[in-house]
Amino acid sequence: HLLSVVNDLLEMAKIEGGSMSLHKEAFPLSDIVLEVIALMSGEAEKAGVKIKAPMNKDHVELYADRRAVKQILINLLSNALKFSKSGGRIEVISHHDNEGLHFSVKDQGIGIPEDIVPQLGKPFVQAETDYNRSHEGTGLGLSIVKGLTELHGGQMDIKSKEGKGTTVTISLPHAEPVAHTEQMEYGQKKSA
């Protein structure tokens, strides 16, 4: 836990200090989504929560820093898992339009009080509920997500309802649709 806190502090310091450099490349978002779901599958199983990521035949190619996008998804899924109850479901949903690529992590967890939502994304801010006090965390996860998103020229949007769940949407510019002749099914490629 201490190592995680130190890493979060270092990441936030780089973002805030302007010393974080992005190494952009073109890649399908679905590759990162599947990689992160595989990484988080043990935690999800232990928590009794299902993670779903509907994939379709047309993937969206993203021009971004692969490591940063992976960190964004890890942080969002970690939060969603932390505040979901056993039997819950988390969905990773994406779409693209003329403005860019949008992907959301949607959970059926405990939700966030309405007055706290605008404060989320600021360093060390956590939703003040009795439930989250029993969970470890520094309040830096969403700050890192917001910082990495803004470094890409994007935006983070949070919608939440207490007792119903939370949806965090990341919008990144310059997404380009790329047609593929194969379909992704949780890490396996199948010819279409």
Side-chain angles (χ1 to χ4, degrees):
H1 174 65
L2 185 56
L3 180 60
S4 175
V5 171
V6 169
N7 285 336
D8 283 352
L9 287 169
L10 291 173
E11 188 91 5
M12 202 63 228
K14 280 196 271 184
I15 293 168
E16 294 277 318
S19 64
M20 180 92 163
S21 58
L22 298 178
H23 304 286
K24 292 185 176 182
E25 61 182 298
F27 60 91
L29 176 66
S30 58
D31 287 0
I32 299 293
V33 170
L34 295 171
E35 190 179 325
V36 171
I37 288 175
L39 184 71
M40 307 292 286
S41 63
E43 263 185 75
E45 191 175 321
K46 195 187 316 181
V49 176
K50 291 188 179 187
I51 303 175
K52 300 209 178 245
M55 295 287 161
N56 59 34
K57 204 171 171 184
D58 291 330
H59 295 284
V60 176
E61 186 128 308
L62 179 61
Y63 186 70
D65 184 299
R66 183 184 287 264
R67 187 199 64 81
V69 173
K70 184 175 178 181
Q71 186 65 55
I72 288 169
L73 274 167
I74 288 171
N75 287 13
L76 293 179
L77 278 173
S78 291
N79 274 356
L81 277 170
K82 188 189 301 187
F83 299 110
S84 290
K85 295 177 184 173
S86 182
R89 186 179 73 223
I90 298 169
E91 286 184 280
V92 182
I93 305 159
S94 65
H95 75 280
H96 61 90
D97 57 25
N98 291 335
E99 294 176 20
L101 174 70
H102 314 278
F103 60 93
S104 302
V105 174
K106 180 179 182 179
D107 67 54
Q108 300 170 326
I110 61 169
I112 303 164
E114 193 176 326
D115 59 323
I116 300 292
V117 172
Q119 302 301 313
L120 293 175
K122 294 179 181 175
F124 306 108
V125 172
Q126 293 179 311
E128 295 291 330
T129 66
D130 291 337
Y131 187 72
N132 83 335
R133 291 292 131 225
S134 65
H135 290 77
E136 293 179 347
T138 59
L140 288 174
L142 285 177
S143 302
I144 291 170
V145 167
K146 184 177 181 194
L148 291 173
T149 300
E150 289 175 351
L151 279 176
H152 283 85
Q155 295 179 321
M156 176 179 79
D157 180 62
I158 303 171
K159 295 203 179 337
S160 189
K161 195 165 195 158
E162 282 188 272
K164 300 286 184 188
T166 301
T167 301
V168 181
T169 301
I170 303 301
S171 298
L172 299 176
H174 312 301
E176 297 175 23
V178 176
H180 288 269
T181 57
E182 50 197 35
Q183 183 174 337
M184 302 295 287
E185 290 187 14
Y186 295 90
Q188 296 179 337
K189 294 182 180 182
K190 292 190 173 183
S191 297

